Structures are given as C-alpha cells and as structure tokens.
Amino acid sequence: IAGLDKFRSTEKSKSARGFDGTFTIGSQDEEDLKNLNSNGTPISPNEETPSTWSSRYSVERQLMAITGGLDSTRMLAKMDMLHSSREKTKSARGMYRASGYAMDGSHEEYNDYTKTSSSGVGLGGIWLWLRGTLWSDDLELNHDGTTQSLVRREKAMQKRRRFRWGAASLMVFVVLVGVLAHIGSHPRKSVAAGVTTAGEGDVDFYVLADEPFDFSDTEQLTRELEALKATSAEFIIHLGNANGDKQSQCKEYGFERAAAVLKESAVPVLVIPGDKDWAACGSKKKAERSLEYWDVNLGKFVEHWDHPLKIDYSEDVVGNFAFLHKDVLFVSVSIVDAPTEASEVTNRLEKNVAWTKQKLAEFGNDGYRVLVIFGHARPSEKQNEYFSPLVEEVKGLNKPVLYLHANSNGSFQQYTPFDGVENFKAVQLEKRGREAPMRVVVMEDVKDGDDTFVFERRDPTMERIEK
C-alpha cells in the first residue's frame, strides 16, 4: 500500500520519563502513579466512604467526560451507596427507588422516610390516615420502605380528589334536604320563582269564573282542569257564569255542557250562580227556570267527587254553601249585578246576611282563624244591604277576611273595599277567566310582614289572549 513504509518509519514520541504517549488497559500513566498510597493501593477521593471496588483499570478521562467530572473513585462510591441499600429492595423497581437520596426530586434522605412512617392505630395513626385520605398529597412509603413511583402517587392523588368531591356532594345534598324540609314546614312565597309550597296546615285551592263561555273555550279549560292533578290543590271554586255563551245562555243544554266540562277536573269543584246563569235571562219566569236548570246540574256539583269536606247548603238561597276546612271558614253568598225585581234583591240579600251570621255564630270566634267569602259581583251600592251589616261583623272579628269575586269589567285587582276595615280584603279575578284557574293559598303560620293570602296568577295562553 502506498505510503505504508512512511507510516512504519514514523517514530513514537517519548515522554520525559520514558513512557510513550499512548496507554493501554493495564498500564499506568503519570496521573495514576500520583494517586497511589505507600502500599501501592489507590488513594480514595472520598475518605468517609472508601470504595471496595478495584480501580486498577484506569479510564479516568473518558469517565469524567461522560459523568460530568466524576472520576472512577467517586463514581464507584456512588455505586457503593446504591449497593448498600439492596437489602431494602425486593425487585428491579425497588432497586430503582432505593438509594441514598430519594429519586423523586424531593432530595430527602431515605432514612427520613422510614423514621416518619407509622403503623400505629392510636390517635396519631388515625390522624395520619385522615390526613392522607382527605387532603394530603405528600409522599408515601410502600410496604418495603421505599418511596412510591410517580404513577402510583398520581393514582393516589386522583383517588383523594374523587373522595373529596364525593364528600362535598354528600354535604351539599344533606344541606339541600334540610333546607327543603324547613321550607316544607314553614312555607313562604318565593319572590323569584313565584311559587308557593303549601304546608300541611295551609289551604290550597283554585278559583275561576265565566267559563266555559263558548264552545271554543271548552278544550282549553278541560286541559287546565286535568292538569290540576299534578298540583296540591284541594278543591276549586267556580264564581259564576258557567253558562255565559249567548247561544246557550239560560238554556238547559248549556248547563249540561258546563257540567260535562267541569267534571274533567282532577279535584272537587263547587259552583255558585252568576248573572248570566239566571238574573240576566230577561223575565222573572225565565230567570226562575234558568236557576232551576243551574241547581239541577251545578247546585251540589261537588258530590261527583269523593272528598273530606263537610259542606252545608242553605235551604233559603240557591247556591249558598259553607264549610270549615283546616280552621278556615268558607261561606258563599248569591250576589249578582244584573237587575231583578227590587223585592227579590232585598229578600235575597237579607237572607245572605242571615246565612253569614248563622255560620259565624255556629263556629264561634274561636272555631276558625280566617274567613273567606265567595260571591259573583263586586261590592257596590247595589249590594249595600248585604255588605253594610257584614262590615260591622268583620270589625269585631279581629281576623283576616277575604272576599273573592268574578269580574264584570277591568282586570285582576287586589284591594280594600271599605275604608277603616283593614282586615277585610277583596280580590277581583281577571275578566273572562283569562288566567283561570287562579291559585289561592291560605297560610297557616303567618309571621310579621307575611300575607295570610297568597295569589298565584298565571300568564294567559295565546288561545286566551286571542279571545
């Protein structure tokens, strides 16, 4: 090969002490000779942890380049530290974990973990268990005294987080149950939701009037009456004009149709007569005959349902009834706006006064806590023969009194009908029952600032708005 002779003739460089510039395994150079003891053994750079491994094989420069400055002696000392902890290891993974320094980045010595671990069942052990279960994410030891791997530690942290979420959810559930139980025992109207939860001692009922006023209203009213099954309603009061359609007014089939529709109600229905049911029929004869039709079909209409109400009916005035329910006295009176003979008006209103006073005396002042009166017409001069004596009675009652009536003109109204009688309130329903049926709750436990009567109006449907 060209140039081979030239290569062979090249002289090797010699060191000052006669050593060549190369080294082989088993040879010693100047640096090795400096690091020998008097007995020929190598000097250990770490006198506290002398190496038990031979350093006769010198690869110092290459090793220092690889380890970033650690020579063979220091590297072997590190290996001795790892080797000394093998008694604590049970597997290759344990070998990885066990060392003179923790391998998870905490830089805490191994012995620190073993000293702080505790398997006791005393108060300290219970506290450590609670702390580690509920919120602590500190390092834990395995059964062999080694530290947990990062994967296992992450799984433990996820388990703790699930435990915390579960505990928090359980606490929220318990609080909600307690709040709902408190609301159930002390119901109040929610201003935000507009919904009242009736308590066991509250009276929950609905009122409507002027329906069904024609055939087109029948389907809508039927759906609303059937929907009351899902409510806490105890009964419904119809305030008159159940047969107000122009075609069927004062005719028998009109009352039969109204009865068929009202029977679809999920709760008992009580009905009182209105103007168009008899008084507005024209002649006295037609009015009397129409009132007979009303009495046959709607007079004791509530008997179509099984109910706990003990209802008393007047023998003097058609449509007058009364009953006591949950310490609330309910009384209905026949009051209409349509003109009839003066003698008939006087006779009927005087009998209404006698009927009302009879019920107030029958139950006594301590026999009821609230008085609710049902009528069709608004209090006015036409009915003064009834309301004037009633006001005198109400003044001496010192109890809440409510008069519920239908609407001849206008819209929903809550007002005080007589000056100086603050315990006497009146409520007028929306015209033609656009919001019907309207909910009324008579509260049992009334505190300062709360109303005895709660009224829940509903937004009218498009069908009712268009009509």
Side-chain angles (χ1 to χ4, degrees):
I1 301 175
L4 181 60
D5 294 337
K6 184 178 180 180
F7 175 79
R8 289 178 176 175
S9 63
T10 303
E11 294 185 358
K12 297 182 180 179
S13 60
K14 300 291 183 175
S15 64
R17 298 184 59 178
F19 296 97
D20 57 23
T22 62
F23 65 88
T24 60
I25 295 177
S27 66
Q28 291 182 327
D29 57 11
E30 296 179 79
E31 194 68 25
D32 292 334
L33 294 175
K34 293 179 181 179
N35 293 328
L36 292 178
N37 293 318
S38 60
N39 58 0
T41 60
I43 299 174
S44 174
N46 188 355
E47 293 298 333
E48 295 180 356
T49 57
S51 174
T52 60
W53 289 62
S54 174
S55 60
R56 61 181 295 190
Y57 306 108
S58 177
V59 287
E60 298 300 322
R61 294 179 177 84
Q62 290 86 342
L63 184 61
M64 293 177 67
I66 294 173
T67 61
L70 291 177
D71 58 13
S72 60
T73 304
R74 294 183 181 277
M75 190 62 198
L76 291 175
K78 287 282 187 181
M79 294 174 67
D80 284 344
M81 293 174 67
L82 291 173
H83 180 71
S84 64
S85 63
R86 291 194 63 178
E87 293 182 358
K88 295 283 188 179
T89 62
K90 306 296 182 182
S91 63
R93 179 178 298 175
M95 238 180 124
Y96 172 77
R97 296 184 188 130
S99 66
Y101 298 93
M103 287 188 171
D104 57 1
S106 64
H107 302 292
E108 296 183 39
E109 291 193 4
Y110 171 77
N111 289 336
D112 291 340
Y113 290 114
T114 58
K115 290 178 181 177
T116 56
S117 62
S118 174
S119 59
V121 293
L123 295 178
I126 295 174
W127 165 247
L128 289 177
W129 180 86
L130 290 173
R131 182 173 179 266
T133 303
L134 293 176
W135 64 82
S136 176
D137 288 330
D138 294 339
L139 290 173
E140 296 181 3
L141 295 178
N142 299 312
H143 67 279
D144 58 1
T146 59
T147 57
Q148 288 186 347
S149 66
L150 296 179
V151 174
R152 186 174 177 183
R153 183 184 177 190
E154 179 62 27
K155 289 182 178 180
M157 292 173 63
Q158 292 177 358
K159 185 177 180 180
R160 292 189 190 97
R161 284 194 290 266
R162 288 193 296 267
F163 185 89
R164 294 166 191 162
W165 277 109
S169 301
L170 180 61
M171 291 181 63
V172 171
F173 176 77
V174 172
V175 171
L176 288 177
V177 170
V179 171
L180 292 177
H182 177 75
I183 293 176
S185 60
H186 300 283
R188 288 293 178 268
K189 184 174 180 181
S190 171
V191 177
V195 176
T196 300
T197 302
E200 185 177 352
D202 301 333
V203 182
D204 189 353
F205 66 98
Y206 285 74
V207 291
L208 72 159
D210 304 309
E211 293 192 77
F213 50 82
D214 57 28
F215 286 103
S216 61
D217 182 57
T218 300
E219 182 179 355
Q220 174 72 14
L221 179 59
T222 300
R223 290 198 301 267
E224 292 174 343
L225 293 174
E226 290 175 345
L228 294 180
K229 184 177 182 180
T231 69
S232 57
E234 300 176 75
F235 55 86
I236 298 176
I237 303 296
H238 195 298
L239 298 179
N241 286 357
N243 183 24
D245 183 29
K246 292 182 179 180
Q247 291 182 336
S248 64
Q249 185 178 342
C250 302
K251 296 181 174 63
E252 186 175 11
Y253 77 88
F255 294 105
E256 293 174 348
R257 182 192 65 188
V261 173
L262 294 177
K263 283 180 183 179
E264 298 297 326
S265 172
V267 296
V269 180
L270 295 94
V271 189
I272 65 176
D275 298 81
K276 296 182 179 180
D277 291 324
W278 68 280
C281 289
S283 64
K284 178 181 178 182
K285 185 177 180 180
K286 289 182 179 180
E288 290 176 350
R289 185 169 60 245
S290 182
L291 189 57
E292 291 178 1
Y293 295 149
W294 182 94
D295 194 20
V296 170
N297 290 278
L298 301 173
K300 295 182 179 180
F301 194 63
V302 71
E303 302 305 324
H304 290 288
W305 292 266
D306 293 330
H307 61 85
L309 305 177
K310 296 181 179 180
I311 303 173
D312 186 19
Y313 294 93
S314 172
E315 296 181 356
D316 298 325
V317 180
V318 176
N320 284 10
F321 60 81
F323 63 93
L324 182 69
H325 182 58
K326 296 182 179 179
D327 295 331
V328 179
L329 179 58
F330 296 92
V331 179
S332 77
V333 289
S334 179
I335 297 180
V336 293
D337 273 330
T340 58
E341 292 183 357
S343 58
E344 187 281 328
V345 173
T346 299
N347 182 55
R348 176 167 44 84
L349 294 180
E350 288 179 352
K351 290 181 178 179
N352 285 341
V353 173
W355 172 252
T356 304
K357 289 184 177 181
Q358 175 188 337
K359 292 305 165 185
L360 295 179
E362 179 181 336
F363 292 99
N365 192 46
D366 297 330
Y368 62 96
R369 58 184 176 84
V370 178
L371 173 62
V372 179
I373 303 174
F374 303 117
H376 178 74
R378 184 185 180 96
S380 65
E381 290 295 328
K382 297 179 182 179
Q383 294 86 31
N384 192 48
E385 292 178 80
Y386 172 73
F387 283 104
S388 291
L390 177 64
V391 168
E392 296 303 319
E393 291 288 333
V394 170
K395 287 180 179 179
L397 289 179
N398 195 27
K399 301 175 186 292
V401 178
L402 174 66
Y403 177 63
L404 278 167
H405 62 90
N407 193 334
S408 58
N409 190 20
S411 59
F412 175 87
Q413 185 180 5
Q414 183 176 355
Y415 61 102
T416 302
F418 302 100
D419 295 335
V421 191
E422 295 300 324
N423 63 321
F424 193 175
K425 305 295 182 182
V427 169
Q428 174 179 268
L429 270 63
E430 184 66 36
K431 187 177 182 180
R432 281 181 58 175
R434 290 181 63 187
E435 299 172 354
M438 183 185 74
R439 186 186 182 199
V440 182
V441 181
V442 183
M443 309 299 287
E444 177 189 25
D445 185 15
V446 180
K447 299 181 179 180
D448 294 340
D450 293 335
D451 294 328
T452 303
F453 309 103
V454 177
F455 307 98
E456 287 188 5
R457 302 173 60 193
R458 300 188 304 171
D459 294 332
T461 62
M462 291 304 300
E463 296 179 45
R464 292 188 178 277
I465 292 175
E466 293 173 357
K467 296 173 184 180

